[in-house]
């Protein structure tokens, strides 16, 4: 290959702008519609728009914000609300742990990884894991930062703009918009899964969800996740041992 045919490396600005284009992807659009439903939920709860915009940027993960709003409405103590939001956000830890090795280089400073990790939520994680391997390693951090920062900022502005209008939405419309997010999360994780244990965990968790909703409705999602994930891990481990013996 001659020097004339060697492509020049793209700049960090290019990859940041390339990541920003992800705002027009299906995952981002579905999330923005879900935030419209969240804005309707908070408007009905009479939470000031400034607080809603602040929690959109600082907490970011939509389920954690719903838990926080629910805690506020129930009059829970601030320590209780803090614990509930923290527990719901623990699921982000394995996402960060799996994404960081894909986007870092030997020269990436730790502080920068800590900054961009704030933007790791299910939508950004699924989007990045599906596309980041098509980006040169040197541009992956900028690519993810462009998508995550743009998506977060856009939803902060979106919540502020629609807050007044969505208070007039019928509850059914708000609920449907809000429900788009868990449906998308489930299908995206299923499609992007690379290991059979993930399929098992999703299947067992879904099968047990209705049972725990009946016997322990206050902890149904937590129990379904813990029990389903544990059984899937144990079953996959046993199967691997049998395959190794053969």
């Amino acid at each position: 290959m001659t020097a004339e045919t060697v492509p020049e490396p793209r700049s960090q600005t290019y990859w940041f702008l390339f990541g920003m284009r992800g705002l027009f992807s299906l995952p981002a659009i579905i999330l923005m519609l879900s935030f419209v439903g969240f804005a309707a939920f908070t408007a009905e709860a009479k939470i000031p728009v400034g607080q809603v915009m602040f929690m959109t940027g600082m907490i970011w993960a939509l389920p954690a914000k719903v838990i926080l709003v629910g805690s506020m409405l129930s009059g829970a103590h601030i320590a209780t609300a803090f614990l509930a939001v923290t527990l719901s956000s623990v699921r982000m830890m394995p996402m960060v742990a799996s994404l960081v090795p894909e986007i870092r280089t030997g020269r990436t400073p730790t502080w920068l990884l800590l900054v961009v990790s704030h933007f790791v939520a299910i939508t950004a994680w699924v989007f990045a894991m599906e596309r980041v391997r098509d980006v040169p390693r040197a541009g992956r951090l900028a690519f993810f930062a462009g998508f995550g920062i743009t998506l977060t900022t856009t939803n902060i502005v979106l919540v502020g703009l629609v807050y007044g209008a969505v208070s007039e939405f019928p509850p059914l419309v708000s609920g449907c918009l809000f429900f788009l997010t868990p449906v998308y999360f489930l299908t995206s994780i299923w499609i992007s899964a690379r290991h059979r244990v993930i399929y098992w965990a999703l299947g067992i968790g879904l099968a047990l969800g209705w049972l725990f909703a009946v016997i322990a409705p206050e902890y149904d999602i937590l129990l379904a996740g813990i029990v389903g994930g544990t059984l899937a891990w144990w079953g996959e481990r046993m199967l691997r041992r049998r395959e190794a013996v053969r």
Side-chain angles (χ1 to χ4, degrees):
M1 183 178 290
T2 63
E4 289 76 16
T5 60
V6 177
E8 294 185 6
R10 305 285 190 177
S11 67
Q12 297 297 307
T13 302
Y14 170 85
W15 290 115
F16 187 90
L17 295 174
F18 189 73
M20 291 179 65
R21 291 171 52 187
L23 184 67
F24 302 101
S25 63
L26 181 61
I29 292 173
I30 291 177
L31 184 64
M32 286 188 285
L33 289 174
S34 298
F35 267 97
V36 174
F38 174 70
F41 174 52
T42 54
E44 185 177 352
K46 309 299 182 185
I47 298 177
V49 63
Q51 294 183 20
V52 178
M53 295 176 68
F54 179 78
M55 70 173 67
T56 299
M58 296 306 297
I59 301 177
W60 183 220
L62 191 53
K65 282 192 284 293
V66 174
I67 292 173
L68 177 60
V69 173
S71 300
M72 294 168 64
L73 293 178
S74 65
H77 191 275
I78 187 172
T80 303
F82 174 81
L83 180 61
V85 172
T86 300
L87 289 175
S88 73
S89 300
V90 169
R91 61 197 170 87
M92 306 298 176
M93 187 179 297
M95 296 181 192
V96 174
S98 62
L99 180 61
V100 166
E102 299 289 342
I103 64 176
R104 74 183 307 172
T105 66
R107 298 180 178 180
T108 306
T110 302
W111 69 265
L112 189 55
L113 292 172
L114 291 174
V115 170
V116 299
S117 67
H118 173 71
F119 303 99
V120 176
I122 185 67
T123 300
W125 181 79
V126 170
F127 179 87
M129 295 300 288
E130 288 179 347
R131 296 165 173 80
V132 76
R133 294 187 179 179
D134 297 328
V135 177
R137 181 167 289 275
R140 291 180 181 180
L141 184 63
F143 170 77
F144 177 75
F147 177 71
I149 293 173
T150 302
L151 185 62
T152 303
T153 305
T154 300
N155 279 294
I156 293 172
V157 175
L158 177 65
V159 166
L161 291 176
V162 305
Y163 180 87
V166 295
S167 60
E168 304 299 327
F169 280 9
L172 180 61
V173 174
S174 301
C176 289
L177 289 172
F178 198 71
F179 192 65
L180 284 174
T181 298
V183 171
Y184 167 71
F185 287 173
L186 180 62
T187 55
S188 296
I189 293 174
W190 185 274
I191 293 172
S192 62
R194 299 189 179 116
H195 303 286
R196 61 191 176 192
V197 66
I198 299 178
Y199 298 114
W200 293 1
L202 285 173
I204 297 172
L206 288 172
L208 293 176
W210 69 269
L211 175 63
F212 289 125
V214 173
I215 63 178
E218 296 181 354
Y219 306 99
D220 53 351
I221 296 177
L222 178 63
L223 291 173
I226 292 176
V227 176
T230 301
L231 289 176
W233 173 82
W234 180 81
E236 203 268 344
R237 185 181 181 186
M238 293 297 102
L239 183 59
R240 259 198 266 174
R241 286 182 177 179
R242 290 186 179 180
E243 291 174 345
V245 173
R246 292 176 183 175

